[in-house]
Amino acid sequence: MTIQIYNTLTRMKEPFVPMEEGKVKMYVCGPTVYNYIHIGNARPVIVFDTVRRYLEYRGYDVTYVSNFTDVDDKIIKAANELGEEVGELTDRFINAYFEDVSALGCGKADVHPRVTDHIEDIVKFVEVLIDKGFAYESQGDVYYRTQKFDGYGKLSHQSTDELKVGARIEEGNKKENPLDFALWKAAKMGEISWGSPWGLGRPGWHIECSVMAREHLGDTIDIHAGGQDLTFPHHENEIAQSEAMTGKQFARYWMHNGYINIDNEKMSKSLGNFVLVNDIRKQVDPKVLRFFMLSVHYRHPVNFSENLVVSAQNGLERIRTAYNNLKHRLEASADLGDQKDIWNYKVDEIKNAFELAMDDDFNTANAIAAIFELSKLANVYLLEKNTQSDVLNHFIETFDGLMKVLGVPLDDETSLLDEDIDALIEERLEARRNRDFGRSDEIRDQLKEQGILLEDTAQGTRWKRG
Ligand SMILES: [Zn+2]
């Protein structure tokens, strides 16, 4: 079956057919890096990491790009308050971001472009928009002329008249139309800025994604994704910029994830109910957090409450117990009995149910239900004192494959951190210096068991996860 994706642009589930067979170009809007991320920021990272994993599971070669907004008003304000350079602050929070999301089981993107590395490209892009009549300079700022773009409002399904009602009339009257938005902002005194044909300044927020998506993925991308709050104005503006620039469709499938509520209330600074990933992952296993987030379909709101997280934890524990029992039984397997075809067939049926759920707009809630079915089936199998290694292995491999799609591996309880690996490599080197080859081989084997492959080169020992 073809994967169906709910496309915000058409408000329909559509069969997913990428532009180039077998390849997917995917862009996910990333964070503005001036603070630790909260669980609302973490949701799109987890959701779209899972989408990427499932596309890869289905054999697609995915190129995944996710940006860092590393200059904007909030960043400048935070840097001023802390007496820090903008670059120092953003580097610090980019590192913190990677720590948080990798704890949540999210892989790195193929490219994590930063705005400050693309200023020249942005200036060039804006110049073209001005040349084409889609943008105009006004007192050192540059604005996008929304009236000139026919499809403005098509993603958020609003007419420009409807949009105007909600638009803020700003002081100074620098804009031709209240719906116009800044592509370039003139620098205020003492602010970080770059030279441009319009004087010192810096890019507006929306332009960065148009420029970086084009730079790293080309004129048209397959999937553009982000939180639901980005639909308008951010993604609407990205479309206006990119399509005015290229005359081509910018993104073919637009995916948006729903909000997170805390104990049924909206998460907000004023309510003081912000939950930072960095805090919560010290209290709750981050794999449980991920499993919890995926227990709800990505387009629905998630209610974050202690009860629900505990129930996710218990659920994951049940799955893990069934999995570990299968592994123990395997050690004592005897290949008796002749019912293996029936059991393998039942396992495959559940695997199909998982795939059907994921094919249906990445319905992880139903996919997780299938995994619970698999643990129930495993428990029945084990209760009947069955010991066919063939069946046990089929169960285990199916668990491994499906849980890997969810990014919640079951066999990682002893998994090694990078620091541990480096320490073991150092110990192995020391053993070799002392000609203790027994210990050196032991360490190599121990790492191999954990899927870490070593390669000795003239420059030293390198390692990779196999
Ligand atoms: Zn964006």
Side-chain angles (χ1 to χ4, degrees), residues 172-412:
N173 223 7
K174 290 188 190 175
K175 298 180 190 177
E176 291 175 359
N177 180 314
L179 287 184
D180 295 353
F181 56 90
L183 300 171
W184 186 264
K185 295 176 175 181
K188 299 191 193 101
M189 276 291 280
E191 259 181 19
I192 183 169
S193 61
W194 290 263
S196 82
W198 322 288
L200 288 178
R202 64 187 162 86
W205 172 34
H206 314 297
I207 191 69
E208 67 181 76
C209 287
S210 283
V211 171
M212 294 193 279
R214 183 169 192 234
E215 190 72 20
H216 298 284
L217 294 170
D219 288 347
T220 302
I221 56 186
D222 291 301
I223 300 175
H224 195 313
Q228 183 184 313
D229 51 325
L230 297 183
T231 312
F232 187 84
H234 185 54
H235 288 161
E236 197 73 71
N237 291 352
E238 283 188 37
I239 291 177
Q241 295 162 158
S242 294
E243 298 191 356
M245 173 72 169
T246 66
K248 297 177 196 161
Q249 183 171 29
F250 175 44
R252 301 169 66 241
Y253 300 86
W254 284 90
M255 295 180 70
H256 293 100
N257 66 274
Y259 294 116
I260 287 204
N261 295 320
I262 310 277
D263 292 325
N264 288 316
E265 278 197 88
K266 202 176 165 212
M267 187 165 56
S268 80
K269 278 228 168 78
S270 53
L271 286 171
N273 61 356
F274 259 55
V275 179
L276 296 181
V277 171
N278 209 269
D279 295 330
I280 191 80
R281 73 178 166 89
K282 287 165 192 153
Q283 297 156 34
V284 183
D285 178 351
K287 294 285 177 341
V288 169
L289 289 173
R290 180 175 179 122
F291 188 71
F292 163 74
M293 294 262 203
L294 295 176
S295 66
V296 177
H297 187 269
Y298 77 88
R299 283 193 284 121
H300 297 166
V302 163
N303 184 33
F304 188 87
S305 77
E306 203 182 320
N307 281 344
L308 293 173
V309 172
V310 168
S311 115
Q313 182 163 13
N314 294 339
L316 185 56
E317 212 39 59
R318 284 205 303 280
I319 295 170
R320 210 186 282 281
T321 304
Y323 178 81
N324 287 338
N325 288 341
L326 289 165
K327 284 207 150 171
H328 289 143
R329 184 69 60 85
L330 188 62
E331 284 164 21
S333 67
D335 282 325
L336 297 173
D338 56 0
Q339 297 204 323
K340 69 178 187 208
D341 292 345
I342 295 172
W343 285 101
N344 283 346
Y345 176 78
K346 285 183 185 172
V347 170
D348 287 342
E349 258 188 344
I350 293 176
K351 184 168 166 242
N352 281 342
F354 177 96
E355 290 173 0
L356 278 175
M358 291 299 284
D359 281 349
D360 182 15
D361 194 29
F362 309 96
N363 193 329
T364 52
N366 290 348
I368 287 176
I371 289 176
F372 281 123
E373 285 305 310
L374 188 62
S375 2
K376 274 189 221 156
L377 185 68
N379 291 338
V380 173
Y381 181 81
L382 293 166
L383 210 67
E384 290 181 10
K385 311 273 181 234
N386 288 306
T387 58
Q388 294 116 320
S389 59
D390 204 51
V391 177
L392 289 163
N393 273 319
H394 193 51
F395 263 114
I396 291 166
E397 280 163 18
T398 306
F399 267 119
D400 282 338
L402 304 188
M403 291 303 277
K404 194 177 160 207
V405 169
L406 299 180
V408 188
L410 296 173
D411 59 351
D412 74 331

